[in-house]
Amino acid sequence: MMQILTEQERIRRQSLVELRNLGIEPYPAAEFKTNRTTTELKDKFKEGEEVTIAGRLMTRRIMGKASFGEVMDSKGRFQCYFNRDVLCEGEDKDLYNKVFKKLLDIGDFIGVTGTTFITQTGEQSIEVKELTVLSKSLKPLPIVKTDEEGNLHDAFNDPELRYRMRYVDLVVNEDVRDTFITRTKVIQSMRSFFNDHNYLEVDTPVLQPIPGGAAARPFITHHNALDIPLYLRIANELYLKRLIVGGFDGVYEFSRNFRNEGMDRTHNPEFTVMEIYVAYKDYNWMMDFTERMLEKVCRDVHEGSVVDFGGKQIDFKAPFQRVTMTDSIKEHTGIDITGKSEEELRAACKEIGIEVDESMGKGKLIDEIFGEKCEHHYIQPTFITDYPTEMSPLCKRHRDNPDLTERFELMVNGNELANAYSELNDPIDQRERFEEQVRLMERGDDEAMFIDQDFLRALEYGMPPTSGMGIGVDRLIMLLTGNESIQEVLLFPQMKPEVFGKQGPELTENEQLVFDILSKAKSMDLNALKEKTGLSNKQWDKSMKGLGKQGLTKVTKTDEGLTVSVVE
RNA sequence: GAUCUCUUAGCUCAGCUGGUAGAGCAAUACACUUUUAAUGUAUGGGUCCUGGGUUCGAGCCCCAGAGGGAUCACCA
């Protein structure tokens, strides 16, 4: 299909041809050796040095025989001064007059070599002696300008365009680049914390025959050679525990998980969770470990332990507050859930205005109360501990109370950030809990878990006491970069597919109809033609405009009236 | 999935009661040898998201659809 070009795109393609005519290859193959980045230049600036940098030409201010432009590399921008007689020493001034002034555009990659100096207005600059075209850009970038007060003008800020064309977003919006640099730093900081403890980073299957370890709707795919369904993982928990059975002291994985559920500003179909399992530990140890890790990560990417999130100051300084779920519910609703039956809990829910249905068991009811009435109160990092057994089928029973489990969730800014257990390692109890999940599933709870027989077999071989923790990496990054939407911390968030090339140069049905009738006669009275087509006023009008625009027909006015003819 | 809302030039946005489509930046041409949101003058650039309808006439009103955003439900 023919690509329809805008005026600016046509001009850039024309410049491309003219560059080649001047013997300049706009897409050269050779390595271009630089000896500085823009930040190195700024930080260790010395006048009179010979330097070479490369990047995109981002601004140009042309003043006759001299120009200023900014070159942007991966680190930042640096000003370059292009003087006609410095750039072109001899009689041939084409490199400045034609190549720089006419044939280069904002967005083109260039390499420059020159001498550093400071301008009259005190700006660090390079006086360019050599200019190399490295790659011509055929589409105009959005031009974002910053004024003296630091205000952005014409910011490229439409979320749809930014997410669909992240490459443009990254070029044009510096803060977006910073967000993703921070993202990588956070992950590196976590990784080094675990490695310092000698825990092993592992890879476990993404394609799983049973989607286990969490309660969620999976994506299903199919393996052709095996002719079996496979699921994209919703969690990696059961695989990591198998590795603890296998004898490792500590294993962790940054796990890309996939859940076939709704999408909004906190949910993407694929997201990253870091899960870690450590042998011979319990959930109390894991709380200490988690808060130390988070404080360290926060300090690695910020000045201190405090982050500003939408005006709220969140302090990751350890230790964090610890509250049992029972106490939390008592505090925020006045209800004491201790020893309450399912019926009593259901009644209590109705009393405080929480919707319930018959599929909900005890655990789910308590979870509803907490989610509805308590969760949003915890802005500062807080460990909520000791969850009901029924909603924690993989977690060890509490050492003091068999109705509860040794589990904590870390709440930050009113949302769950991490989830951890003293892992259940009693294979007989684990089997019973899975069976309970099956009963819940039969009652209509579509989040209940499947039974993983191989996992049970692994437990039967014996797993040491173990504590495990999972932390939502994307959500942590959101907190640490001040972004309220998950799309802002994912390079390529999931979106509905874009429709390309929906309009070609072909004629619409109505245009074709008009054109066919007209082609036979070559020329016709306008009103006669209109009548013959039988089109409504609007359809007629639209078709004629369309044909005229494509230069296929012409309307001429004579004394007798309007005549339409085919353009030969 | 529900509700509200948005979609106009490459980008950011105006557009009156329904009457020939606008600005700034970007682009093109000219001027200008230290500018910095460079400046001045001139010029070009549009499927007003798509498809129907109402109307003499629709960017604007009505219906249907697409895509985005926000809120909600579900979830992490």
Side-chain angles (χ1 to χ4, degrees):
Chain A
M1 196 197 77
M2 207 180 80
Q3 210 178 342
I4 297 167
L5 299 176
T6 65
E7 182 192 35
Q8 293 195 42
E9 289 172 312
R10 284 196 302 272
I11 289 165
R12 284 177 181 230
R13 277 170 157 78
Q14 186 55 42
S15 299
L16 188 75
V17 171
E18 287 174 33
L19 279 172
R20 287 209 168 104
N21 289 344
L22 286 171
I24 294 170
E25 171 52 47
Y27 302 105
E31 175 191 10
F32 187 81
K33 284 202 171 77
T34 62
N35 59 17
R36 295 288 192 287
T37 64
T38 54
T39 43
E40 284 165 4
L41 264 178
K42 278 180 210 160
D43 295 346
K44 298 175 206 156
F45 185 80
K46 272 211 307 234
E47 270 191 86
E49 276 189 309
E50 179 95 348
V51 297
T52 302
I53 63 170
R56 277 189 202 267
L57 182 63
M58 291 304 281
T59 63
R60 269 193 317 173
R61 296 181 284 277
I62 297 175
M63 294 153 298
K65 294 171 194 158
S67 305
F68 286 92
E70 280 177 319
V71 171
M72 183 174 84
D73 65 9
S74 67
K75 300 291 196 290
R77 296 179 180 206
F78 202 85
Q79 177 169 282
C80 296
Y81 173 62
F82 301 86
N83 181 300
R84 187 189 67 185
D85 298 319
V86 174
L87 194 59
C88 313
E89 282 192 315
E91 288 303 303
D92 181 4
K93 306 296 183 191
D94 275 1
L95 186 61
Y96 181 77
N97 286 338
K98 286 193 183 159
V99 177
F100 180 78
K101 277 172 73 174
K102 305 284 182 196
L103 303 180
L104 285 185
D105 290 289
I106 287 174
D108 291 349
F109 283 90
I110 57 171
V112 297
T113 299
T115 315
T116 54
F117 77 108
I118 292 193
T119 64
Q120 285 179 6
T121 50
E123 183 82 7
Q124 299 174 348
S125 304
I126 299 171
E127 186 178 53
V128 178
K129 296 192 169 67
E130 285 174 41
L131 168 65
T132 312
V133 178
L134 296 177
S135 180
K136 179 98 192 117
S137 159
L138 296 182
K139 277 188 178 291
L141 286 169
I143 307 292
V144 181
K145 291 192 172 178
T146 313
D147 66 19
E148 287 163 352
E149 285 106 52
N151 301 314
L152 284 182
H153 296 264
D154 304 324
F156 181 62
N157 56 11
D158 180 336
E160 175 171 10
L161 292 175
R162 287 183 45 234
Y163 301 155
R164 286 197 194 280
M165 298 193 288
R166 186 67 95 182
Y167 36 90
V168 174
D169 194 25
L170 288 165
V171 169
V172 147
N173 292 322
E174 203 180 335
D175 53 326
V176 173
R177 235 175 308 148
D178 289 344
T179 292
F180 290 104
I181 292 169
T182 301
R183 182 183 173 110
T184 298
K185 278 187 188 161
V186 167
I187 290 169
Q188 283 170 345
S189 173
M190 290 171 77
R191 181 173 281 130
S192 74
F193 186 82
F194 302 142
N195 289 347
D196 287 348
H197 285 78
N198 292 316
Y199 302 144
L200 192 70
E201 183 168 13
V202 297
D203 283 309
T204 65
V206 173
L207 289 173
Q208 303 180 350
I210 294 171
R217 293 215 304 274
F219 285 93
I220 305 177
T221 184
H222 184 263
H223 191 281
N224 289 342
L226 294 175
D227 194 22
I228 53 164
L230 285 173
Y231 300 87
L232 271 63
R233 72 174 162 205
I234 54 173
N236 58 351
E237 169 159 1
L238 302 185
Y239 284 93
L240 293 182
K241 286 195 214 173
R242 285 171 169 96
L243 296 175
I244 298 294
V245 171
F248 293 113
D249 267 337
V251 289
Y252 70 94
E253 179 174 18
F254 287 90
S255 169
R256 185 70 66 89
N257 294 347
F258 305 83
R259 298 192 184 174
N260 204 342
E261 284 159 355
M263 292 165 58
D264 58 36
R265 71 180 208 292
T266 55
H267 296 86
N268 195 65
E270 52 184 298
F271 61 103
T272 305
V273 172
M274 195 297 305
E275 293 210 27
I276 183 165
Y277 291 81
V278 185
Y280 312 112
K281 307 298 186 190
D282 66 4
Y283 78 138
N284 291 313
W285 177 90
M286 190 58 87
M287 275 188 261
D288 298 343
F289 183 80
T290 302
E291 64 195 12
R292 276 191 290 128
M293 178 197 75
L294 285 174
E295 180 174 350
K296 183 232 178 210
V297 168
C298 187
R299 288 183 188 281
D300 280 353
V301 298
H302 284 96
E303 294 297 305
S305 62
V306 179
V307 296
D308 181 285
F309 193 83
K312 284 176 271 189
Q313 305 297 311
I314 295 172
D315 193 348
F316 282 97
K317 186 164 175 49
F320 303 161
Q321 202 193 344
R322 300 178 187 193
V323 184
T324 68
M325 176 160 268
T326 307
D327 286 347
S328 176
I329 289 175
K330 210 182 286 174
E331 184 189 340
H332 292 108
T333 66
I335 299 166
D336 186 357
I337 57 170
T338 317
K340 286 261 195 324
S341 71
E342 192 176 307
E343 280 319 305
E344 287 169 319
L345 284 169
R346 189 166 284 126
C349 278
K350 281 177 186 159
E351 215 166 285
I352 54 175
I354 293 172
E355 278 184 46
V356 292
D357 66 62
E358 289 308 307
S359 80
M360 290 176 172
K362 224 164 127 178
K364 188 95 182 162
L365 290 166
I366 293 170
D367 193 34
E368 285 293 316
I369 300 174
F370 182 79
E372 201 69 33
K373 298 291 174 187
C374 309
E375 199 172 70
H376 60 275
H377 292 290
Y378 299 103
I379 303 301
Q380 297 304 320
T382 305
F383 291 117
I384 304 297
T385 65
D386 303 346
Y387 283 60
T389 308
E390 201 182 336
M391 54 191 283
S392 314
L394 300 167
C395 185
K396 189 175 273 191
R397 284 179 203 275
H398 197 280
R399 61 195 79 180
D400 301 325
N401 180 349
D403 290 338
L404 301 178
T405 53
E406 297 206 350
R407 172 179 182 181
F408 73 77
E409 283 194 2
L410 175 62
M411 313 302 303
V412 183
N413 196 37
N415 288 308
E416 179 195 338
L417 181 63
N419 183 18
Y421 307 147
S422 295
E423 300 296 336
L424 179 56
N425 62 347
D426 174 344
I428 292 167
D429 193 1
Q430 181 67 79
R431 189 176 292 276
E432 283 167 6
R433 302 262 208 107
F434 272 142
E435 281 162 2
E436 173 64 19
Q437 289 291 307
V438 172
R439 281 194 288 278
L440 283 175
M441 207 184 289
E442 282 160 1
R443 253 172 88 174
D445 184 345
D446 58 0
E447 294 171 9
M449 295 182 189
F450 295 92
I451 299 183
D452 186 333
Q453 298 290 351
D454 176 70
F455 173 67
L456 288 170
R457 177 168 63 191
L459 285 191
E460 285 168 5
Y461 279 98
M463 182 172 84
T466 298
S467 184
M469 188 267 289
I471 183 165
V473 172
D474 306 306
R475 295 216 171 147
L476 177 62
I477 312 270
M478 286 162 68
L479 284 168
L480 293 176
T481 58
N483 280 301
E484 308 217 20
S485 141
I486 196 170
Q487 283 82 11
E488 293 291 348
V489 302
L490 298 171
L491 282 166
F492 301 102
Q494 194 58 244
M495 303 200 84
K496 285 207 185 181
E498 191 174 355
V499 180
F500 281 98
K502 62 185 165 190
Q503 73 271 349
E506 299 86 12
L507 301 182
T508 67
E509 217 170 288
N510 288 336
E511 285 167 1
Q512 194 67 55
L513 177 71
V514 176
F515 192 71
D516 285 349
I517 294 168
L518 187 61
S519 301
K520 284 171 196 148
K522 298 286 176 203
S523 179
M524 270 178 95
D525 177 68
L526 186 136
N527 285 316
L529 177 62
K530 183 183 168 191
E531 204 156 310
K532 202 159 184 183
T533 61
L535 292 174
S536 73
N537 283 342
K538 183 158 195 154
Q539 288 168 330
W540 162 257
D541 188 58
K542 203 154 194 142
S543 306
M544 284 306 288
K545 278 180 183 163
L547 287 167
K549 196 158 207 165
Q550 293 180 47
L552 295 169
T553 60
K554 197 173 66 183
V555 181
T556 39
K557 196 171 182 181
T558 60
D559 295 340
E560 291 92 61
L562 295 168
T563 308
V564 190
S565 51
V566 179
V567 176
E568 300 296 341

